[in-house]
Amino acid sequence: MERLLFRKGLAARLRRLASAKEGQFTLEAAWTLPIIVLLTFSLLWLAVMMYRESGLYFNAGRLAERTAYVWDNSRKDMVTGAVRPEAGDGLYWRLADDGLSQWFNVANPMSPVRVALPQSAGERDTAEGPAGKLARTAGLLDVSVRGSLSFQHYGLFRVVRAALERNIEVPATASRWFKSTEIEAFAASYVVEPVETIRLTDLTRTFISEIQGRIKPKQALAAMVQPASDVKQPVPVTSHAQAAEYVRLLVNGTETIVQATPESKRTIDALDASGVAHQAYYTFNEKNLREVQMPKDLELLKKGVQVKGVVWHFFKTSNQDKIKLSQGLRKELERSGIVVVFHE
């Protein structure tokens, strides 16, 4: 009997508590606040995950695009595209290294070239051919990023592919909700050579029709032998004459004498086919450059008849560590429209 009365009293108290308004706000806050905090942190974590995944896709795209950009010259600067005249991959790199010769061997097509990421400095320096080109751009990646970089030659198309993966930090309580704690990104870029395409189109249109049927494919492949050595390194410049000769070879120009002013003439070390005057300076005096040399070139630029542009080439002397040209003179030359090039 007492137990029955206790139950009825407890039920009555619970009904009064459920219908009462006192403490309702505290009870609701105690339930909703943890849920709101949990959802907020979940959204923040999701935003961080999306940011990291987009960053990985950006790195994959940049890696593939820059590798394809410098594919025609493995010594080309990946950002500016600058190259040195004496640096290159040889004359027949498209046949030997790039796998174009596999066109004559249909039964055994070229397999993809793949390098694992990340690459150590020693691996990047020792790799050659397509693998060396792939390994060189691998230095752009952080060591925490893993994956692979591959190159595939399809005959008419050449593709560089990047596949990257990276570990992500997942809370221990939420790790069981995910099948994997890694994010992945894939990107591809085609190797495009507009100049080479135009050259081959013109060759196909004119020259191929002349030799068609006169030589067999095997004989043509045997004739395309890589030269025994690449272009020789430039001879160290030790005089103005050597500097001027180097500039003439560099721009394929000729020494020319023009009338700068009614009273004076200007000897141009190398005038190229575009009308750009190249001047070589091995030893120089800044006062002479300002008061004598620069006015002549500015007068030639002002006329614009024989000279369309002026480039000054400065060479380091044998007893100097670097070229000693003041910043004031350099800025003055650039403001006047004269391009300055250092050869160190």
Side-chain angles (χ1 to χ4, degrees):
M1 186 66 181
E2 293 179 358
R3 185 178 295 177
L4 180 61
L5 291 174
F6 176 76
R7 290 180 178 178
K8 289 182 178 180
L10 181 60
R13 291 193 197 96
L14 291 175
R15 283 195 296 270
R16 286 196 302 271
L17 180 62
S19 61
K21 295 183 178 180
E22 292 81 2
Q24 183 178 1
F25 178 78
T26 303
L27 182 62
E28 290 178 356
W31 278 97
T32 57
L33 184 60
I35 296 176
I36 293 175
V37 172
L38 181 61
L39 291 176
T40 301
F41 278 99
S42 299
L43 290 175
L44 288 174
W45 182 78
L46 180 62
V48 171
M49 290 300 304
M50 294 180 64
Y51 169 76
R52 290 185 176 179
E53 188 171 7
S54 63
L56 193 64
Y57 269 101
F58 169 77
N59 286 330
R62 182 183 63 167
L63 195 67
E65 289 178 0
R66 290 193 174 180
T67 304
Y69 174 63
V70 300
W71 197 260
D72 60 338
N73 191 333
S74 59
R75 294 171 178 83
K76 181 190 295 185
D77 188 275
M78 289 181 288
V79 179
T80 64
V83 295
R84 301 192 307 273
E86 70 276 5
D89 294 328
L91 184 59
Y92 298 121
W93 68 269
R94 291 180 179 85
L95 289 173
D97 297 338
D98 218 23
L100 187 60
S101 59
Q102 293 296 326
W103 280 21
F104 300 99
N105 192 5
V106 182
N108 186 23
M110 179 183 178
S111 58
V113 180
R114 182 176 286 103
V115 296
L117 303 175
Q119 288 271 316
S120 64
E123 291 174 326
R124 293 196 298 267
D125 294 338
T126 56
E128 297 180 353
K133 296 179 181 180
L134 296 174
R136 181 175 173 232
T137 53
L140 299 173
L141 288 178
D142 189 78
V143 293
S144 61
V145 180
R146 304 184 309 278
S148 64
L149 194 61
S150 62
F151 168 75
Q152 178 71 57
H153 200 311
Y154 292 99
L156 295 178
F157 304 101
R158 292 171 291 171
V159 186
V160 177
R161 293 186 176 88
L164 305 181
E165 59 182 26
R166 186 174 189 174
N167 288 331
I168 56 175
E169 298 177 358
V170 180
T173 56
S175 60
R176 61 178 179 272
W177 300 342
F178 298 89
K179 295 182 179 179
S180 175
T181 59
E182 295 181 345
I183 53 177
E184 298 179 344
F186 303 92
S189 181
Y190 287 90
V191 178
V192 181
E193 297 182 80
V195 176
E196 183 66 17
T197 302
I198 296 173
R199 185 184 297 116
L200 288 177
T201 301
D202 190 51
L203 176 67
T204 304
R205 184 179 61 85
T206 57
F207 184 67
I208 297 298
S209 59
E210 296 294 329
I211 66 170
Q212 187 175 10
R214 300 183 183 181
I215 187 172
K216 296 180 179 180
K218 290 185 178 180
Q219 295 174 342
L221 184 60
M224 296 177 182
V225 180
Q226 182 73 17
S229 60
D230 293 329
V231 179
K232 295 182 179 180
Q233 296 293 327
V235 178
V237 175
T238 58
S239 64
H240 172 77
Q242 290 183 346
E245 182 64 24
Y246 176 81
V247 172
R248 280 192 287 270
L249 293 174
L250 184 66
V251 303
N252 195 22
T254 57
E255 185 178 3
T256 307
I257 299 177
V258 297
Q259 191 74 34
T261 63
E263 298 81 14
S264 62
K265 294 183 179 181
R266 179 61 159 163
T267 300
I268 300 175
D269 291 330
L271 183 66
D272 63 21
S274 301
V276 178
H278 299 264
Q279 297 296 139
Y281 293 99
Y282 181 71
T283 57
F284 56 88
N285 179 280
E286 291 197 2
K287 182 179 180 181
N288 178 268
L289 294 180
R290 276 195 175 97
E291 298 178 359
V292 180
Q293 308 299 331
M294 197 165 83
K296 293 181 180 180
D297 286 343
L298 293 180
E299 185 65 25
L300 291 174
L301 282 175
K302 183 178 179 181
K303 293 178 180 179
V305 179
Q306 292 176 286
V307 176
K308 305 297 189 300
V310 176
V311 181
W312 283 12
H313 299 259
F314 291 91
F315 291 81
K316 180 179 70 68
T317 59
S318 57
N319 58 351
Q320 292 179 344
D321 295 332
K322 61 180 181 179
I323 299 172
K324 296 182 179 180
L325 182 70
S326 65
Q327 289 294 327
L329 178 58
R330 181 173 182 176
K331 291 180 179 179
E332 186 177 349
L333 291 171
E334 292 174 348
R335 285 196 301 267
S336 302
I338 298 176
V339 180
V340 177
V341 178
F342 287 163
H343 298 270
E344 296 181 332

